[in-house]
Amino acid sequence: MPARIEHDARVSIELSLRRLDHVAAALFPQYSRSRLQQWIDSGELTVDGENRKPKYKVSAGAMLRIAAQPELSSNSPEAIALDIVYEDAAVLVVNKAAGLVVHPGAGNQGGTLLNALLHHDADLEAVPRAGIVHRLDKDTTGLMVVAKTLSSQNRLVQQLQDRTVKRVYEAVTYGVIGQSGTVDAPIGRHSHNRTRMSIQTGGREAITHYRPLRQFKHFSHLELSLETGRTHQIRVHMQHLRHPLIGDPTYGGTFRQPPGQSNAELVDYVRSFPRQALHARQLSFVHPDTGQAPSFTADLPDDMGRLLELLLQHESS
């Protein structure tokens, strides 16, 4: 059973006569406002031992106390192997494999990264979504950071909202991309197919930067970095440029025969590539406890490595 959450803080003169919910946010910045609101409503955050409303004006010298029981996950731990790149008391960085769904959902009630995290560390049961603060698509590989405490989760979420978490990807696309650029095109849920996203005038802001790492006769090896983190962002933006990712039939990456390419091994490999050729290679953020800015990298998975080997052998200009 995860440990009970307990904190005390005395109200300063500067915070006196302000609303309880505002004072709590100032005194306990390691927790989200919504979490503090829940504790006020449940009576787990008190003023001098008394339950108060969020609008209650708190006096200087009052003692705010949190004595909260962690909310436990309703999901089950599952013994699923994890590739752990880094771990300490506050965060965990994993290199997600292809085919691993991040959250349970319709059609995926088990066998997810969340289930694997609960098995790896039982204390993650007390952290919403087992500490997951951002996502990768099922068939995208690479780095994700997981928060191991409520306070580190709040700080990482704030960094994501402030766009200070740096994420760099590698992808292989159809067509030759000759120079670096930026796609600034809003993304929203597709009007007819709710499992897809699309470029929409009224969508949420989405910005992707890209640069070619290697150009082939009919393909490009790209590095991409995100300013925003919309669902399927890179896949949608590359489709928008008419350079969809190899292996991504949802966004135009179904097999197309390269003109004049006769090497059977390369053609068969591209045709049968089982997923979008996308890998989250690099991740950096401010550590929620130390304030340092670690950076982590994960090598390309074997399938993308083999794809690039074949392109170098048979598609080099």
Side-chain angles (χ1 to χ4, degrees):
M1 175 70 68
R4 188 174 175 84
I5 299 167
E6 297 187 351
H7 298 285
D8 292 307
R10 194 168 296 281
V11 178
S12 65
I13 294 176
E14 290 76 15
L15 293 174
S16 65
L17 301 181
R18 293 174 58 183
R19 289 169 50 124
L20 171 58
D21 51 358
H22 294 173
V23 174
L27 292 178
F28 305 112
Q30 66 270 43
Y31 298 112
S32 67
R33 288 179 179 268
S34 61
R35 177 68 53 184
L36 294 168
Q37 180 75 51
Q38 291 174 14
W39 287 338
I40 292 171
D41 293 342
S42 66
E44 293 172 291
L45 194 163
T46 57
V47 180
D48 292 330
E50 300 290 335
N51 295 349
R52 299 295 185 185
K53 299 292 184 182
K55 295 182 180 180
Y56 175 77
K57 299 298 177 62
V58 184
S59 301
M63 179 65 74
L64 269 58
R65 177 171 175 76
I66 297 173
Q69 191 65 43
E71 293 183 13
L72 302 184
S73 172
S74 60
N75 299 107
S76 301
E78 295 182 34
I80 300 169
L82 291 173
D83 180 2
I84 297 175
V85 176
Y86 175 81
E87 183 174 14
D88 61 24
V91 299
L92 181 151
V93 177
V94 298
N95 182 15
K96 190 186 83 66
L100 184 62
V101 176
V102 172
H103 290 112
N108 294 290
Q109 293 303 316
T112 71
L113 175 62
L114 186 148
N115 300 105
L117 290 169
L118 292 174
H119 182 271
H120 172 73
D121 184 348
D123 286 344
L124 287 173
E125 186 179 20
V127 186
R129 300 175 299 283
I132 294 169
V133 295
H134 64 118
R135 299 178 58 181
L136 291 176
D137 295 338
K138 173 185 175 182
D139 289 323
T140 298
T141 57
L143 296 172
M144 295 179 60
V145 61
V146 175
K148 295 183 65 177
T149 66
L150 284 173
S151 59
S152 60
Q153 186 180 50
N154 183 50
R155 289 178 175 133
L156 287 171
V157 167
Q158 188 62 55
Q159 290 182 51
L160 286 162
Q161 293 173 347
D162 293 341
R163 303 183 184 180
T164 57
V165 175
K166 304 300 181 184
R167 291 164 288 173
V168 179
Y169 295 73
E170 289 188 36
V172 185
T173 70
Y174 282 100
V176 179
I177 297 178
Q179 60 186 6
S180 301
T182 296
V183 183
D184 184 350
I187 292 175
R189 188 72 60 180
H190 195 281
S191 57
H192 302 300
N193 185 340
R194 305 304 290 174
T195 64
R196 294 184 57 184
M197 310 300 287
S198 63
I199 303 297
Q200 296 182 14
T201 302
R204 301 180 69 189
E205 181 185 30
I207 302 172
T208 303
H209 305 287
Y210 61 90
R211 72 179 183 93
L213 296 174
R214 180 94 187 213
Q215 299 161 334
F216 302 98
K217 292 178 181 177
H218 306 101
F219 303 92
S220 295
H221 178 202
L222 302 180
E223 178 184 273
L224 307 106
S225 59
L226 300 180
E227 281 196 32
T228 55
R230 308 306 175 208
T231 300
H232 302 174
Q233 178 172 319
I234 289 174
R235 299 164 64 190
V236 173
H237 276 174
M238 297 319 296
Q239 180 193 44
H240 180 64
L241 291 182
R242 299 184 180 178
H243 292 286
L245 306 187
I246 287 176
D248 187 0
T250 302
Y251 296 104
T254 50
F255 176 72
R256 59 192 74 174
Q257 177 79 37
Q261 177 53 258
S262 60
N263 181 269
E265 186 179 15
L266 172 61
V267 170
D268 288 346
Y269 200 80
V270 174
R271 177 187 287 114
S272 62
F273 202 79
R275 65 182 187 90
Q276 63 265 12
L278 182 62
H279 174 67
R281 184 193 75 207
Q282 186 174 349
L283 175 69
S284 58
F285 53 89
V286 176
H287 192 283
D289 283 357
T290 68
Q292 296 177 342
S295 181
F296 304 94
T297 58
D299 293 338
L300 281 175
D302 291 344
D303 58 356
M304 285 184 66
R306 180 57 179 160
L307 175 61
L308 289 171
E309 285 180 8
L310 290 171
L311 290 173
L312 283 168
Q313 290 173 22
H314 305 294
E315 275 267 325
S316 294
S317 301

